[in-house]
Amino acid sequence: MIVGRIIGWVLIALALAVLGLALVLWLTGADMTAMTGQLWYDLAPGGLNLTQAITQRYIHPALWDEVMLPILQWPAYLALAVAVLAPLTAGGLFLAAFHRRRRRRIFG
């Protein structure tokens, strides 16, 4: 199924993009032991505030309070590692589940 393979490749591309961001942050000397929320606020305070507003208003307030706030209190290296490994694993599972199967030739 082509849709499953496309989703798998998109998830792997997302994981590689986050890995690239993590490498850029590390090479520029960002404090990777700081809380994720603090690092995000230092880099783009408007982006953090906009994400909070969109999540609470249009998606669900509990998503921000119960999921995002604890993640924003993690060290940045841990949050980035999860943000790389989760879509990488999911993408690999999608690709494995929806791989092309070769047809067996019975005659010749």
Side-chain angles (χ1 to χ4, degrees):
M1 174 176 259
I2 189 82
V3 175
R5 288 193 303 269
I6 290 172
I7 291 172
W9 284 114
V10 167
L11 287 170
I12 289 175
L14 175 68
L16 293 176
V18 173
L19 179 63
L21 171 69
L23 288 173
V24 167
L25 289 173
W26 179 60
L27 291 174
T28 58
D31 184 14
M32 299 302 282
T33 59
M35 288 192 304
T36 303
Q38 182 63 46
L39 183 63
W40 190 356
Y41 185 79
D42 292 343
L43 294 173
L48 179 61
N49 291 334
L50 180 65
T51 303
Q52 178 184 5
I54 289 172
T55 303
Q56 287 181 330
R57 288 183 194 155
Y58 301 114
I59 301 174
H60 199 283
L63 179 64
W64 184 262
D65 296 333
E66 303 296 326
V67 177
M68 286 302 296
L69 281 180
I71 291 173
L72 291 174
Q73 294 173 353
W74 290 356
Y77 67 86
L78 180 61
L80 288 169
V82 169
V84 169
L85 293 176
L88 188 65
T89 303
L93 289 173
F94 267 92
L95 290 178
F98 295 106
H99 73 281
R100 289 186 187 181
R101 292 182 172 85
R102 293 186 182 159
R103 294 182 183 213
R104 290 186 183 183
R105 299 181 96 182
I106 296 174
F107 300 109

